[in-house]
């Protein structure tokens, strides 16, 4: 970020603050950490300030994971206060999710940017199709599987979320929907999974990018930009409870359609970047 004139910096700061507002609303509304918004925005901004293409996606993902730590925590606290979180399921997923996140962070140290983008597109579109066109009959089980299936789901959720830079809300909502769980419970439980993903994920991406410090922007710790995180965090934390309260007022179908459209657009964005 060195070398930018003051007006250019103010423009970038304004975009990051706006991304914080949107990510905060998404965190509360859909139980996601807002990474699906933050990653595309940071990917573009890091290109503007000259971050090498080979490192841009990893830096966007790592910074996103750091940003969604406070929004996930605040969203989870709001949903938990309403008694909507399946805490037994959350506890069962805790260790597998964290294990998957650490594996994803390790992969970030050598995987090419295309891997991150393809994972983003696949998960985003799969979720959008299910939510946008799915019917009540589109289920694979009457409930979340018992062990070892439950742990496998948790591990895969952690791995894919770490590679996407998200709090796992998209994946948890998809899984719980296929397992006949109501959308409001899915959103609430997903907010808790976001806490389990974001904290070890941010630490893991710091470690993964440690050897690249000389090629990354000033005030970066590994693949986490402290400036990017500092500009997005305040607004996202402030707005997250508003989104959570709104989620409990909207009908199920409205939540599903809006979330599906959003994910479809974000997936298209990264698919285009691969062409």
């Amino acid at each position: 970020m060195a070398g930018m004139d003051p007006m250019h910096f103010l423009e970038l700061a304004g975009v990051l603050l706006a991304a914080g507002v949107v990510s905060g609303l998404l965190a509360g509304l859909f139980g996601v950490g807002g990474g699906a918004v933050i990653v595309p925005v940071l990917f573009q901004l890091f290109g503007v300030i000259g971050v090498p293409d080979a490192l841009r996606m990893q830096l966007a993902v790592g910074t996103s994971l750091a940003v969604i730590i406070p929004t996930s925590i605040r969203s989870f606290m709001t949903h938990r206060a309403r008694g909507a979180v399946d805490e037994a399921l959350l506890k069962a997923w805790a260790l597998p999710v964290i294990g998957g996140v650490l594996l994803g962070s390790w992969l970030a140290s050598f995987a090419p940017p295309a891997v991150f983008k393809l994972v983003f597109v696949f998960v985003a579109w799969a979720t959008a199709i299910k939510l946008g066109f799915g019917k009540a009959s589109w289920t694979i089980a009457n409930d979340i599987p018992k062990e070892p299936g439950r742990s496998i789901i948790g591990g895969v959720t952690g791995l894919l979320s770490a590679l996407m830079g998200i709090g796992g809300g998209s994946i948890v909502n998809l899984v719980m929907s296929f397992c006949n769980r109501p959308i409001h419970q899915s959103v609430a439980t997903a907010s808790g999974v976001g806490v389990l993903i974001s904290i070890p994920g941010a630490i893991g991406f710091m470690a993964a990018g440690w050897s690249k410090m000389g090629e990354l922007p000033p005030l970066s710790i590994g693949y986490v930009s402290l400036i990017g995180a500092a500009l997005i965090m305040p607004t996202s934390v402030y707005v997250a409870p508003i989104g959570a309260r709104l989620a409990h007022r909207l009908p199920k179908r409205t939540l599903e359609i809006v979330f599906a459209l959003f994910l479809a657009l974000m997936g298209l964005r990264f698919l285009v970047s691969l062409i």
Side-chain angles (χ1 to χ4, degrees):
M1 293 186 183
M4 287 191 295
D5 62 79
M7 287 303 298
H8 193 187
F9 180 81
L10 288 175
E11 290 175 2
L12 293 177
V15 173
L16 288 168
L17 290 172
V21 172
V22 177
S23 67
L25 283 173
L26 289 171
L29 192 59
F30 300 123
V32 302
V37 169
I38 298 170
V39 170
V41 169
L42 290 177
F43 180 77
Q44 293 298 327
L45 293 180
F46 290 150
V48 170
I49 63 175
V51 176
D53 289 344
L55 305 178
R56 205 166 21 136
M57 190 66 184
Q58 292 92 318
L59 185 62
V61 169
T63 304
S64 173
L65 289 168
V67 168
I68 65 181
I69 292 173
T71 57
S72 295
I73 292 172
R74 196 162 189 196
S75 177
F76 171 62
M77 291 174 64
T78 304
H79 284 293
R80 190 183 186 191
R82 293 176 174 269
V85 178
D86 184 337
E87 297 198 28
L89 178 59
L90 191 59
K91 289 176 181 177
W93 271 342
L95 290 179
V97 165
I98 293 172
V101 170
L102 295 178
L103 175 59
S105 301
W106 174 69
L107 290 174
S109 64
F110 60 86
V115 171
F116 299 87
K117 294 179 182 180
L118 287 172
V119 169
F120 199 105
V121 172
F122 172 75
V123 175
W125 280 9
T127 307
I129 291 171
K130 167 60 178 172
L131 292 176
F133 302 100
K135 301 178 181 178
S137 58
W138 285 23
T139 58
I140 58 176
N142 290 326
D143 201 357
I144 306 295
K146 301 298 182 181
E147 297 295 354
R150 185 165 295 197
S151 291
I152 292 173
I153 291 172
V156 172
T157 297
L159 171 61
L160 296 181
S161 298
L163 293 176
M164 290 177 68
I166 64 172
S170 305
I171 301 170
V172 172
N173 281 314
L174 180 64
V175 169
M176 294 185 73
S177 175
F178 273 124
C179 293
N180 205 32
R181 293 293 186 95
I183 184 66
H184 291 92
Q185 184 188 72
S186 301
V187 166
T189 306
S191 67
V193 173
V195 178
L196 298 174
I197 289 170
S198 58
I199 296 174
I203 295 172
F205 269 73
M206 287 179 181
W210 194 263
S211 63
K212 305 290 185 180
M213 296 280 280
E215 304 173 61
L216 295 168
L219 295 180
S220 295
I221 300 179
Y223 289 134
V224 173
S225 167
L226 299 183
I227 293 178
L231 288 174
I232 294 177
M233 275 184 186
T235 47
S236 63
V237 171
Y238 178 78
V239 172
I242 298 174
R245 289 192 292 269
L246 183 59
H248 289 276
R249 296 177 184 174
L250 292 175
K252 173 185 175 182
R253 190 55 185 158
T254 300
L255 278 175
E256 291 176 337
I257 292 296
V258 173
F259 197 23
L261 289 173
F262 170 75
L263 289 172
L265 288 173
M266 292 302 100
L268 180 62
R269 162 69 187 85
F270 277 112
L271 184 63
V272 170
S273 74
L274 285 168
I275 298 175

